[in-house]
Amino acid sequence: KEEVKEEEKVEVKEEKAKEEEVKMEEEKAEEKEGAGESKGDANGDVKMEGGNAEGGETAEVKADEEKKRPEKKSKYEVLIPIPKTSGSLVERAKEFYGLTDEFPIDQLFSSSATSNKVYFVSAAVKQLLEADGKGQLHTVHAGVKVLEKNPTKGDIFDYRLRQEGVPFLLPFMTKRILKLNNADFTTLLKKRCMLMADLQTEGAEEKVREMGGGCTLFVLDREEGDPVFLAGWRGTAQLTLFVSKYELQALSHKFIGHKEDKEAGSKEGGKKA
Protein backbone atom coordinates (compact mmCIF):
# COMPACT_ATOMS: atom_id res chain seq x y z
CA LYS A 1 0.00 0.00 0.00
CA GLU A 2 2.82 2.29 0.92
CA GLU A 3 4.48 1.64 -2.46
CA VAL A 4 1.18 2.45 -4.26
CA LYS A 5 0.85 5.75 -2.35
CA GLU A 6 4.41 6.70 -3.18
CA GLU A 7 3.79 5.94 -6.87
CA GLU A 8 0.62 8.07 -6.77
CA LYS A 9 2.56 10.94 -5.16
CA VAL A 10 5.21 10.68 -7.85
CA GLU A 11 2.58 10.72 -10.59
CA VAL A 12 0.93 13.81 -9.03
CA LYS A 13 4.28 15.58 -8.84
CA GLU A 14 4.99 14.70 -12.47
CA GLU A 15 1.55 15.96 -13.53
CA LYS A 16 2.11 19.22 -11.62
CA ALA A 17 5.53 19.58 -13.19
CA LYS A 18 3.98 19.01 -16.65
CA GLU A 19 1.21 21.53 -15.93
CA GLU A 20 3.82 24.09 -14.84
CA GLU A 21 5.87 23.40 -18.00
CA VAL A 22 2.73 23.83 -20.12
CA LYS A 23 1.90 27.10 -18.36
CA MET A 24 5.43 28.34 -18.86
CA GLU A 25 5.32 27.40 -22.54
CA GLU A 26 1.95 29.13 -22.93
CA GLU A 27 3.27 32.25 -21.21
CA LYS A 28 6.33 32.23 -23.45
CA ALA A 29 4.13 31.81 -26.50
CA GLU A 30 1.94 34.71 -25.41
CA GLU A 31 5.03 36.84 -24.81
CA LYS A 32 6.30 35.93 -28.29
CA GLU A 33 2.96 36.77 -29.88
CA GLY A 34 2.88 40.10 -28.06
CA ALA A 35 6.41 40.86 -29.15
CA GLY A 36 5.56 39.80 -32.67
CA GLU A 37 2.55 42.10 -32.77
CA SER A 38 4.56 45.01 -31.44
CA LYS A 39 7.30 44.28 -33.95
CA GLY A 40 4.74 43.96 -36.65
CA ASP A 41 3.28 47.32 -35.72
CA ALA A 42 6.71 48.86 -35.59
CA ASN A 43 7.67 47.27 -38.88
CA GLY A 44 4.38 48.36 -40.30
CA ASP A 45 5.06 51.93 -39.26
CA VAL A 46 8.54 51.78 -40.72
CA LYS A 47 7.25 50.30 -43.93
CA MET A 48 4.61 52.92 -44.19
CA GLU A 49 7.11 55.64 -43.54
CA GLY A 50 9.51 54.05 -45.96
CA GLY A 51 6.73 53.69 -48.47
CA ASN A 52 5.88 57.35 -48.10
CA ALA A 53 9.54 58.33 -48.36
CA GLU A 54 10.03 56.12 -51.39
CA GLY A 55 6.83 57.47 -52.88
CA GLY A 56 8.04 61.01 -52.26
CA GLU A 57 11.43 60.23 -53.75
CA THR A 58 9.78 58.56 -56.74
CA ALA A 59 7.56 61.58 -57.31
CA GLU A 60 10.55 63.90 -57.11
CA VAL A 61 12.55 61.73 -59.51
CA LYS A 62 9.64 61.65 -61.94
CA ALA A 63 9.27 65.41 -61.69
CA ASP A 64 13.00 65.86 -62.41
CA GLU A 65 12.81 63.47 -65.36
CA GLU A 66 9.84 65.34 -66.78
CA LYS A 67 11.77 68.60 -66.49
CA LYS A 68 14.77 67.08 -68.27
CA ARG A 69 12.67 65.66 -71.09
CA PRO A 70 12.74 67.92 -74.16
CA GLU A 71 9.39 69.39 -75.03
CA LYS A 72 7.81 67.78 -78.06
CA LYS A 73 7.52 70.22 -80.91
CA SER A 74 3.93 70.58 -81.95
CA LYS A 75 2.95 70.52 -85.59
CA TYR A 76 0.80 73.54 -84.83
CA GLU A 77 1.93 77.08 -84.13
CA VAL A 78 0.59 79.55 -81.62
CA LEU A 79 0.95 83.04 -83.05
CA ILE A 80 1.43 85.70 -80.41
CA PRO A 81 1.47 89.49 -80.76
CA ILE A 82 4.86 91.19 -80.60
CA PRO A 83 5.27 93.76 -77.79
CA LYS A 84 5.18 97.37 -78.99
CA THR A 85 7.26 98.79 -76.13
CA SER A 86 10.10 101.27 -76.64
CA GLY A 87 13.21 99.55 -78.04
CA SER A 88 11.24 96.45 -78.99
CA LEU A 89 11.70 94.49 -82.20
CA VAL A 90 8.78 96.26 -83.84
CA GLU A 91 10.16 99.72 -83.02
CA ARG A 92 13.66 98.79 -84.22
CA ALA A 93 12.29 97.33 -87.47
CA LYS A 94 10.23 100.45 -88.03
CA GLU A 95 13.30 102.63 -87.58
CA PHE A 96 15.67 100.47 -89.66
CA TYR A 97 13.37 100.08 -92.68
CA GLY A 98 11.80 103.52 -92.33
CA LEU A 99 8.25 102.21 -92.04
CA THR A 100 5.73 105.05 -92.01
CA ASP A 101 3.09 105.48 -89.33
CA GLU A 102 0.45 104.22 -91.76
CA PHE A 103 1.91 100.71 -91.57
CA PRO A 104 -0.35 98.49 -89.36
CA ILE A 105 2.28 97.38 -86.84
CA ASP A 106 -0.34 95.67 -84.66
CA GLN A 107 -0.78 93.07 -87.43
CA LEU A 108 2.73 91.68 -86.84
CA PHE A 109 2.81 88.38 -84.94
CA SER A 110 5.42 85.83 -83.99
CA SER A 111 5.34 82.04 -83.55
CA SER A 112 7.53 82.10 -80.43
CA ALA A 113 8.64 84.33 -77.57
CA THR A 114 12.05 84.72 -79.26
CA SER A 115 10.38 86.16 -82.39
CA ASN A 116 12.78 84.48 -84.80
CA LYS A 117 10.13 84.75 -87.50
CA VAL A 118 7.69 87.60 -87.88
CA TYR A 119 4.36 87.18 -89.67
CA PHE A 120 2.03 89.78 -91.13
CA VAL A 121 -1.65 88.84 -90.82
CA SER A 122 -4.85 90.47 -92.04
CA ALA A 123 -6.96 92.62 -89.73
CA ALA A 124 -9.62 89.89 -89.44
CA VAL A 125 -7.05 87.22 -88.49
CA LYS A 126 -5.52 89.65 -85.99
CA GLN A 127 -8.87 89.96 -84.19
CA LEU A 128 -9.25 86.18 -84.13
CA LEU A 129 -5.76 85.62 -82.70
CA GLU A 130 -6.20 88.30 -80.06
CA ALA A 131 -9.45 86.70 -78.92
CA ASP A 132 -7.56 83.46 -78.22
CA GLY A 133 -6.14 84.58 -74.87
CA LYS A 134 -5.33 81.05 -73.60
CA GLY A 135 -3.48 79.95 -76.73
CA GLN A 136 -5.97 77.18 -77.50
CA LEU A 137 -6.16 78.04 -81.18
CA HIS A 138 -3.71 75.75 -82.98
CA THR A 139 -2.64 77.53 -86.15
CA VAL A 140 -1.58 75.39 -89.09
CA HIS A 141 -0.83 78.39 -91.29
CA ALA A 142 -1.63 82.08 -91.00
CA GLY A 143 -0.21 85.24 -92.45
CA VAL A 144 2.95 85.79 -94.48
CA LYS A 145 6.53 85.80 -93.21
CA VAL A 146 7.89 89.32 -93.55
CA LEU A 147 10.99 89.24 -91.32
CA GLU A 148 13.38 86.54 -90.17
CA LYS A 149 16.26 86.68 -87.71
CA ASN A 150 19.68 86.63 -89.37
CA PRO A 151 22.45 86.57 -86.69
CA THR A 152 25.08 89.22 -87.38
CA LYS A 153 28.08 90.80 -85.72
CA GLY A 154 28.10 94.29 -84.32
CA ASP A 155 25.15 96.63 -84.03
CA ILE A 156 23.59 95.76 -87.38
CA PHE A 157 19.84 95.14 -87.22
CA ASP A 158 19.69 91.37 -87.54
CA TYR A 159 16.26 90.85 -89.10
CA ARG A 160 16.19 90.43 -92.85
CA LEU A 161 13.33 90.83 -95.27
CA ARG A 162 11.57 87.76 -96.59
CA GLN A 163 11.02 87.88 -100.34
CA GLU A 164 7.40 86.73 -100.06
CA GLY A 165 6.59 89.38 -97.45
CA VAL A 166 8.10 92.39 -99.27
CA PRO A 167 4.85 93.36 -101.08
CA PHE A 168 3.24 94.08 -97.69
CA LEU A 169 6.13 96.24 -96.47
CA LEU A 170 7.39 97.99 -99.61
CA PRO A 171 4.54 100.56 -99.87
CA PHE A 172 5.49 101.79 -96.38
CA MET A 173 9.32 101.56 -96.65
CA THR A 174 11.39 104.72 -96.90
CA LYS A 175 14.84 103.26 -96.11
CA ARG A 176 17.06 100.34 -97.22
CA ILE A 177 15.89 100.55 -100.84
CA LEU A 178 18.45 100.57 -103.66
CA LYS A 179 17.17 101.16 -107.18
CA LEU A 180 19.18 99.46 -109.93
CA ASN A 181 19.14 99.70 -113.71
CA ASN A 182 18.51 96.70 -115.95
CA ALA A 183 22.19 95.73 -116.20
CA ASP A 184 22.85 95.63 -112.44
CA PHE A 185 19.53 93.98 -111.65
CA THR A 186 20.15 91.29 -114.26
CA THR A 187 23.65 90.66 -112.89
CA LEU A 188 22.26 90.13 -109.39
CA LEU A 189 19.51 87.93 -110.72
CA LYS A 190 21.94 85.70 -112.60
CA LYS A 191 24.91 85.60 -110.21
CA ARG A 192 23.07 86.14 -106.88
CA CYS A 193 25.87 88.47 -105.76
CA MET A 194 28.10 91.29 -107.00
CA LEU A 195 30.71 93.72 -105.71
CA MET A 196 29.57 97.21 -104.81
CA ALA A 197 32.44 98.56 -106.91
CA ASP A 198 30.91 96.86 -110.00
CA LEU A 199 27.60 98.73 -109.81
CA GLN A 200 26.86 100.61 -113.01
CA THR A 201 23.71 102.40 -111.89
CA GLU A 202 24.40 106.09 -111.45
CA GLY A 203 24.85 107.00 -107.76
CA ALA A 204 24.10 103.43 -106.58
CA GLU A 205 27.57 102.71 -105.20
CA GLU A 206 27.68 105.90 -103.14
CA LYS A 207 24.17 105.37 -101.82
CA VAL A 208 24.72 101.76 -100.79
CA ARG A 209 27.98 102.62 -99.02
CA GLU A 210 26.26 105.37 -97.04
CA MET A 211 23.45 102.98 -96.24
CA GLY A 212 25.61 100.78 -94.01
CA GLY A 213 25.48 97.04 -93.48
CA GLY A 214 22.33 94.99 -93.19
CA CYS A 215 19.38 93.84 -95.22
CA THR A 216 18.71 95.81 -98.41
CA LEU A 217 15.94 95.68 -100.98
CA PHE A 218 17.14 95.86 -104.60
CA VAL A 219 14.40 97.31 -106.79
CA LEU A 220 14.40 97.48 -110.59
CA ASP A 221 14.28 101.12 -111.64
CA ARG A 222 11.48 101.34 -114.16
CA GLU A 223 8.44 103.53 -114.66
CA GLU A 224 5.88 101.00 -115.89
CA GLY A 225 4.46 97.85 -114.39
CA ASP A 226 4.48 96.41 -110.89
CA PRO A 227 7.67 96.75 -108.85
CA VAL A 228 10.27 94.03 -109.33
CA PHE A 229 12.51 93.51 -106.29
CA LEU A 230 15.07 91.20 -104.72
CA ALA A 231 15.67 90.92 -100.97
CA GLY A 232 19.36 90.82 -100.13
CA TRP A 233 22.17 91.87 -97.84
CA ARG A 234 24.72 94.67 -97.99
CA GLY A 235 28.01 93.29 -96.67
CA THR A 236 31.42 94.91 -96.31
CA ALA A 237 32.13 95.05 -100.05
CA GLN A 238 29.54 92.76 -101.62
CA LEU A 239 25.82 92.59 -102.29
CA THR A 240 24.19 89.18 -101.79
CA LEU A 241 20.67 87.92 -102.41
CA PHE A 242 18.44 86.20 -99.87
CA VAL A 243 16.07 84.65 -102.38
CA SER A 244 15.35 80.95 -102.92
CA LYS A 245 16.44 79.36 -106.17
CA TYR A 246 12.81 78.66 -107.11
CA GLU A 247 11.86 82.33 -106.76
CA LEU A 248 14.97 83.31 -108.73
CA GLN A 249 14.01 80.90 -111.50
CA ALA A 250 10.52 82.38 -111.67
CA LEU A 251 11.86 85.93 -111.73
CA SER A 252 14.50 85.05 -114.32
CA HIS A 253 11.90 83.50 -116.57
CA LYS A 254 9.57 86.46 -116.11
CA PHE A 255 12.14 89.22 -116.40
CA ILE A 256 15.21 87.99 -118.29
CA GLY A 257 13.36 85.49 -120.47
CA HIS A 258 10.74 88.05 -121.49
CA LYS A 259 13.48 90.57 -122.21
CA GLU A 260 15.45 88.12 -124.34
CA ASP A 261 12.30 87.23 -126.26
CA LYS A 262 11.76 90.91 -127.05
CA GLU A 263 15.37 91.37 -128.15
CA ALA A 264 15.19 88.26 -130.34
CA GLY A 265 11.96 89.49 -131.90
CA SER A 266 13.42 92.90 -132.64
CA LYS A 267 16.52 91.30 -134.26
CA GLU A 268 14.37 89.06 -136.45
CA GLY A 269 12.26 92.07 -137.46
CA GLY A 270 15.41 93.98 -138.39
CA LYS A 271 16.68 91.12 -140.52
CA LYS A 272 13.39 90.82 -142.39
CA ALA A 273 13.39 94.56 -143.04
Side-chain angles (χ1 to χ4, degrees), residues 5 13 38 47 52 89 116 130 142 174 204 210 240 247:
K5 286 181 180 178
K13 287 181 179 180
S38 62
K47 284 182 180 178
N52 290 337
L89 167 60
N116 289 331
E130 287 180 339
T174 59
E210 292 174 359
T240 308
E247 289 174 313

Side-chain angles (χ1 to χ4, degrees), residues 185 189 220 222 225-229 246-262:
F185 195 85
L189 196 56
L220 177 63
R222 64 176 185 176
D226 296 330
V228 181
F229 48 81
Y246 301 106
E247 289 174 313
L248 283 176
Q249 287 175 359
L251 280 171
S252 297
H253 178 73
K254 182 179 180 180
F255 177 67
I256 299 177
H258 184 63
K259 182 181 176 183
E260 289 177 349
D261 290 342
K262 279 187 174 181

Side-chain angles (χ1 to χ4, degrees), residues 102-119:
E102 287 75 20
F103 178 72
I105 286 182
D106 57 347
Q107 290 174 221
L108 293 178
F109 282 73
S110 173
S111 60
S112 65
T114 55
S115 301
N116 289 331
K117 295 177 182 178
V118 179
Y119 296 79

Side-chain angles (χ1 to χ4, degrees), residues 184-227:
D184 288 337
F185 195 85
T186 302
T187 300
L188 268 178
L189 196 56
K190 287 181 176 180
K191 298 183 178 180
R192 299 182 61 121
C193 64
M194 68 182 299
L195 295 174
M196 288 188 284
D198 294 337
L199 288 170
Q200 299 179 19
T201 305
E202 185 178 356
E205 183 180 354
E206 292 77 11
K207 184 177 180 179
V208 75
R209 290 189 184 279
E210 292 174 359
M211 194 179 292
C215 187
T216 304
L217 189 65
F218 308 112
V219 179
L220 177 63
D221 188 8
R222 64 176 185 176
E223 297 179 358
E224 299 179 356
D226 296 330

Side-chain angles (χ1 to χ4, degrees), residues 58-74:
T58 305
E60 289 178 1
V61 171
K62 286 183 179 179
D64 291 339
E65 288 179 354
E66 288 178 358
K67 287 180 181 179
K68 291 178 181 179
R69 286 178 188 170
E71 294 183 2
K72 292 182 179 179
K73 188 175 181 181
S74 174

Side-chain angles (χ1 to χ4, degrees), residues 32-180:
K32 286 182 178 179
E33 288 178 1
E37 289 176 359
S38 62
K39 285 182 181 179
D41 293 338
N43 290 337
D45 292 339
V46 170
K47 284 182 180 178
M48 289 177 67
E49 290 174 4
N52 290 337
E54 288 177 2
E57 288 177 1
T58 305
E60 289 178 1
V61 171
K62 286 183 179 179
D64 291 339
E65 288 179 354
E66 288 178 358
K67 287 180 181 179
K68 291 178 181 179
R69 286 178 188 170
E71 294 183 2
K72 292 182 179 179
K73 188 175 181 181
S74 174
K75 62 181 178 180
Y76 303 108
E77 290 183 333
V78 179
L79 294 182
I80 56 177
I82 302 174
K84 313 299 188 296
T85 56
S86 178
S88 65
L89 167 60
V90 170
E91 291 298 321
R92 289 185 292 132
K94 185 178 179 181
E95 173 61 26
F96 186 75
Y97 291 108
L99 298 175
T100 61
D101 293 335
E102 287 75 20
F103 178 72
I105 286 182
D106 57 347
Q107 290 174 221
L108 293 178
F109 282 73
S110 173
S111 60
S112 65
T114 55
S115 301
N116 289 331
K117 295 177 182 178
V118 179
Y119 296 79
F120 180 79
V121 301
S122 65
V125 173
K126 165 189 166 285
Q127 293 179 356
L128 181 64
L129 293 173
E130 287 180 339
D132 181 35
K134 295 182 179 180
Q136 295 178 344
L137 182 64
H138 298 296
T139 309
V140 178
H141 180 75
V144 180
K145 290 178 187 175
V146 290
L147 297 173
E148 184 171 3
K149 193 173 181 62
N150 184 56
T152 58
K153 296 179 181 179
D155 298 329
I156 299 175
F157 183 66
D158 54 356
Y159 278 81
R160 66 179 180 87
L161 296 169
R162 293 278 304 203
Q163 181 74 12
E164 65 270 30
V166 170
F168 300 94
L169 297 177
L170 182 56
F172 306 96
M173 287 177 61
T174 59
K175 297 180 182 179
R176 310 301 301 182
I177 296 175
L178 183 67
K179 290 187 177 183
L180 301 175

